[in-house]
Amino acid sequence: MLPELSPTLIRRRLTSLFPAALIEDIARERDVVQRHRRIDITMLVWSLILGFAVDGETRSIAAFQRAYQTATNQKLARSSFYERFTPELRDLLRDLLAHALEEVAVPHTIAPQLTQFRDTMIADATIFRLHRLLTAFPATHEEASGAQLYLVYNVTNRTLAQFDLTSERTHESSQFRTGNWLRRRLFLFDLGFYGYRRFALIDENDGFFVSRLKRNANPLIVAERRKWRGRAISLTGTLLQDHLSTLERTHIDVTGEFAFKRRPYGDHQSTDRVAFRVVGVRNEDTDDYHLYVTNLPEEFTPAQVAALYGLRWKVEVLFRELKSRYGLEKFETGDAAIAELLVVAALLTLTVSRALLAMFQKIDPDVEYPEERWATTFRSVAQPVLADLALALGHPPPNLPEVVRREARQPERSRLTLDKRVAQAFRTGVWP
C-alpha cells in the first residue's frame, strides 16, 4: 500500500476543503445558525453533499434526514428538519461551492499547444424533470415542470466556471454572455450555441471557438488555407456545398464567408459578413466529412481541430455523472428554492468527488482513473465517508439497532400492513 493512503486521508482532504470554522462563519453571515441552533450545521452540509445515496437515485429531504440522523446519532422531527431547507441554506451552499471551485482548480496540460489559451472551456446545458406542480420552472409542454442546468466547464482546471438554473423553456444559448472575459479563452460549442454573431463577438473580444458546422451551412469559400499535391480542384470563389459530394481529399481547410445580422438598435438591424476558417475531416466509414467552423490559427491542423472538439464529450460525461450517480434529476419537491438548493448540493457533490479524484491522481500519477468509474466508486463509499466525518467532528458512533428500529417500523400506527388489513376483514367482515 502506498504510504500516502492512510485511513484518514479522505477525511483530511475534505475537512481542509470545507473546514468546520468556514462553514460556521458563512452560516452566521447567512443567518442560518441563529435561526436553527439545535442542528449541527457542519454535519448538515456534509449530509447534503454525501447523503445523496441513501434512497437509491432520489434526492429527497427524507433521505437527507436519515443520512444526518444516522451519522450524528441524533433524532429530529421531520417538520423540524424540513424547516432547515431555506433560501439562507441555499445561499450558504452557493458560497461553499464558489469557495470549493477556487480551491480545487488545478491547471493541467492536455497538449502543449493549448497553453497559449488562458482556459479551454465547454458551454452546454441539460434538461431534467421536476415536480409537476413546480410552476416556477415550466416545461416545453403543458402540465409539466422542467429545469435547465447551464454550465461552463473549464477543461484546463477541471472545474465548473459558471452555472445557472432556468426553466426548460429558456434557450440554452441565451445564458452565454459575451464580453472581455472571453479574451484568450477557447470555447467548444455544440449546435445549441451555433450563431455567427456569437462567433464574431468572441473573435472581436480576442477569444477562440470551435463548433460543428451546421449541416445546411453553405459559406462562400474566399480562400484555401492549404496547398494540395497534383491537379487539385480550386475551391476559391465557390460554395462549400457544391463540392462535398465529389471531393476525395482527406481534409478540407478553407476560409468561408458567412452573413449574419447584428444586434438590433431601435428599428434598425444591420447585416454583416464575417470570414472564418472551415475545416473538414473525412470519415471513411460514412464516406462524408465532419465539418467545423473555427477561428483557430493554421498551426492547428484539421485533425487537431477535430480532436479538440472531441473534448466536448467531457461535459456529456459530467451531466451523466450528475444524473445517474448523484441524483440530479430525482427531486421530490414543489418548492422552487428547495429545488435550487438540491441542484447546488448536487454540484457540491460533484466538486467534492473531483477534489478527491485530483488528490488520488496526484498521489499516484501513473494510474488512470476514468471519471465515470471514479463516480461509481465515490457513490459506493459516500456513506462511510460521512460516518467517518461525523466521528471526527465529535459525534458518537450510531446505535445501529436503534437506527434500524426507527427507520424500518411503520411510522403511523393507524396505517395497517396488508396482513393486519386481511385479519381485520375476517373480524369485521369488511374489506377496506
Side-chain angles (χ1 to χ4, degrees):
M1 185 176 77
L2 293 173
E4 296 91 343
L5 299 183
S6 70
T8 61
L9 177 66
I10 292 177
R11 179 205 308 166
R12 286 187 281 112
R13 178 65 186 104
L14 295 186
T15 53
S16 68
L17 180 62
F18 295 132
L22 172 69
I23 296 174
E24 291 167 1
D25 287 346
I26 298 176
R28 278 191 291 270
E29 292 175 8
R30 290 295 186 182
D31 198 27
V32 178
V33 171
Q34 291 182 6
R35 296 177 63 179
H36 306 297
R37 292 182 181 276
R38 182 167 173 241
I39 200 166
D40 182 338
I41 187 61
T42 301
M43 280 307 301
L44 175 60
V45 167
W46 282 117
S47 296
L48 292 172
I49 295 173
L50 299 171
F52 62 93
V54 171
D55 267 8
E57 301 295 333
T58 303
R59 277 187 178 265
S60 67
I61 295 178
F64 287 123
Q65 181 178 356
R66 281 191 285 276
Y68 177 86
Q69 290 183 154
T70 301
T72 62
N73 206 25
Q74 179 184 6
K75 185 177 179 181
L76 294 170
R78 178 179 172 81
S79 59
S80 176
F81 191 79
Y82 190 94
E83 289 172 356
R84 272 66 175 176
F85 286 73
T86 62
E88 290 82 6
L89 179 60
R90 176 201 60 197
D91 295 340
L92 165 62
L93 296 184
R94 276 184 167 271
D95 290 345
L96 291 175
L97 179 58
H99 165 80
L101 293 178
E102 292 184 3
E103 177 74 14
V104 303
V106 180
H108 75 298
T109 302
I110 296 176
Q113 294 93 326
L114 299 184
T115 58
Q116 64 186 278
F117 308 116
R118 291 167 61 189
D119 297 294
T120 300
M121 312 184 93
I122 308 167
D124 207 347
T126 189
I127 301 294
F128 56 95
R129 298 268 74 82
L130 293 172
H131 194 286
R132 65 183 181 84
L133 298 180
L134 218 169
T135 56
F137 294 94
T140 53
H141 50 281
E142 298 297 328
E143 298 183 359
S145 295
Q148 175 180 256
L149 178 62
Y150 164 79
L151 295 179
V152 176
Y153 180 68
N154 190 330
V155 179
T156 303
N157 290 333
R158 293 182 281 200
T159 59
L160 302 179
Q162 300 174 20
F163 78 93
D164 197 10
L165 187 67
T166 65
S167 77
E168 183 181 350
R169 295 184 183 181
T170 303
H171 197 284
E172 57 187 326
S173 66
S174 67
Q175 302 304 299
F176 186 86
R177 304 286 185 246
T178 54
N180 58 14
W181 75 280
L182 304 172
R183 185 173 180 272
R184 288 186 53 235
R185 288 191 164 101
L186 168 63
F187 295 88
L188 310 177
F189 296 117
D190 71 356
L191 293 179
F193 293 82
Y194 195 93
Y196 302 125
R197 183 163 66 88
R198 174 174 292 109
F199 298 157
L201 288 172
I202 293 173
D203 189 64
E204 290 165 8
N205 281 280
D206 297 323
F208 298 88
F209 68 91
V210 177
S211 170
R212 286 294 291 266
L213 187 72
K214 275 193 172 180
R215 187 176 295 274
N216 62 354
N218 195 21
L220 174 68
I221 299 173
V222 296
E224 293 198 60
R225 291 175 172 261
R226 295 180 185 274
K227 292 183 178 181
W228 305 98
R229 295 178 180 178
R231 301 170 67 179
I233 300 173
S234 174
L235 306 183
T236 303
T238 64
L239 297 174
L240 177 67
Q241 295 290 344
D242 294 341
H243 303 282
L244 292 181
S245 62
T246 58
L247 283 177
E248 296 183 358
R249 61 185 65 169
T250 304
H251 297 140
I252 296 173
D253 197 354
V254 299
T255 299
E257 188 177 73
F258 301 87
F260 69 99
K261 293 185 180 297
R262 289 283 183 181
R263 183 184 295 276
Y265 289 95
D267 297 330
H268 179 70
Q269 186 175 24
S270 62
T271 299
D272 205 346
R273 306 187 76 84
V274 66
F276 289 128
R277 186 180 175 196
V278 176
V279 303
V281 178
R282 191 170 189 81
N283 185 331
E284 298 298 336
D285 294 333
T286 58
D287 196 31
D288 62 3
Y289 288 96
H290 288 174
L291 295 165
Y292 307 89
V293 56
T294 183
N295 64 341
L296 286 174
E298 292 180 2
E299 67 184 87
F300 291 88
T301 67
Q304 290 172 337
V305 171
L308 261 178
Y309 188 80
L311 281 175
R312 279 206 71 264
W313 184 245
K314 281 188 168 291
V315 78
E316 302 298 338
V317 170
L318 184 146
F319 283 138
R320 192 162 65 192
E321 184 177 338
L322 279 167
K323 290 182 175 182
S324 65
R325 303 304 194 279
Y326 306 146
L328 174 65
E329 59 182 350
K330 306 294 183 180
F331 297 158
E332 297 179 349
T333 178
D335 186 302
I338 293 178
E340 184 178 355
L341 183 155
L342 295 176
V343 169
V344 178
L347 295 178
L348 275 167
T349 300
L350 173 73
T351 304
V352 165
S353 172
R354 294 300 175 87
L356 292 178
L357 172 57
M359 179 185 71
F360 275 82
Q361 288 177 326
K362 183 177 181 180
I363 290 174
D364 209 359
D366 295 329
V367 174
E368 290 289 337
Y369 293 98
E371 288 167 347
E372 288 190 286
R373 184 180 179 89
W374 172 269
T376 300
T377 304
F378 177 70
R379 178 184 176 83
S380 70
V381 302
Q383 297 307 303
V385 170
L386 181 60
D388 184 59
L389 284 169
L391 288 173
L393 292 169
H395 293 278
N399 183 336
L400 293 179
E402 172 58 28
V403 171
V404 171
R405 176 178 178 274
R406 181 178 66 233
E407 300 299 337
R409 67 186 179 182
Q410 185 73 280
E412 299 177 21
R413 294 190 178 186
S414 60
R415 292 171 58 185
L416 301 179
T417 62
L418 177 60
D419 288 353
K420 289 191 174 182
R421 282 189 288 145
V422 171
Q424 185 183 67
F426 274 94
R427 290 195 306 271
T428 64
V430 178
W431 175 249

